Amino acid sequence: HLGQVFITLPTIYTDLYQLTKFTCEGGGKKAVDEPAMCLVCGRILNAGNKKASGVFTNAAGECTIHARSCGAGLGVYFLVQQCQVLLIRGSRGTYWPSLYLDASGEVNEQRGQNRPLFLSAKRYKKLEELYVNHQVSKEIVRKRSSAETVIRMDWF
């Protein structure tokens, strides 16, 4: 292992949420509707295939485009609003479990309990190991082949 590859995330989910509400692209502060944070470089992108006007397009989403330059087509993002990880390879993507869990080690799946969520160092390390050991593509294929629903190509 070459040491830490991914960025350092806040321990508490609400701190991450506050950090990702805005992006400072182009010299000004811009609100982000559905923030996705690149876990390699920390850049905040708009998740989903939607232009600023709110119209969905057939073009590749910001995460797919960013993955081409940041990770040679491979992307690992934290979808802040959905509180889960997005893995991308080329035009295909899949979800990976949340990095933030409550005190009892469970994911708060919006059941009405507003329990604080904390970064699971164990899950984050496992995700980083997938990335470092070049297993993300394999994980995407595995998850997509067993998922009830799959993410449309280039959606993110």
Side-chain angles (χ1 to χ4, degrees), residues 65-128:
I65 293 167
H66 178 72
R68 292 173 188 161
S69 61
C70 184
L74 183 70
V76 182
Y77 303 92
F78 187 74
L79 302 175
V80 180
Q81 299 254 346
Q82 298 173 9
C83 197
Q84 62 184 349
V85 173
L86 170 68
L87 304 175
I88 290 179
R89 178 66 178 157
S91 60
R92 290 178 168 74
T94 193
Y95 297 115
W96 203 78
S98 179
L99 299 173
Y100 286 87
L101 307 172
D102 65 16
S104 60
E106 297 175 352
V107 178
N108 184 359
E109 294 179 353
Q110 307 198 354
R111 295 189 182 115
Q113 304 105 342
N114 288 324
R115 298 178 293 200
L117 300 176
F118 304 95
L119 180 64
S120 167
K122 183 178 175 182
R123 280 194 183 184
Y124 201 34
K125 182 174 171 49
K126 183 176 179 182
L127 179 62
E128 189 176 46

Side-chain angles (χ1 to χ4, degrees), residues 17-30:
Y17 189 84
Q18 290 298 318
L19 282 173
T20 59
K21 286 175 69 171
F22 298 96
T23 182
C24 295
E25 296 290 316
K29 226 176 186 185
K30 178 179 96 174

Side-chain angles (χ1 to χ4, degrees), residues 30-34 46-57 62:
K30 178 179 96 174
V32 180
D33 290 337
E34 297 179 50
N46 228 344
N49 191 343
K50 186 167 57 171
K51 292 210 178 287
S53 63
V55 176
F56 293 98
T57 69
E62 287 185 27

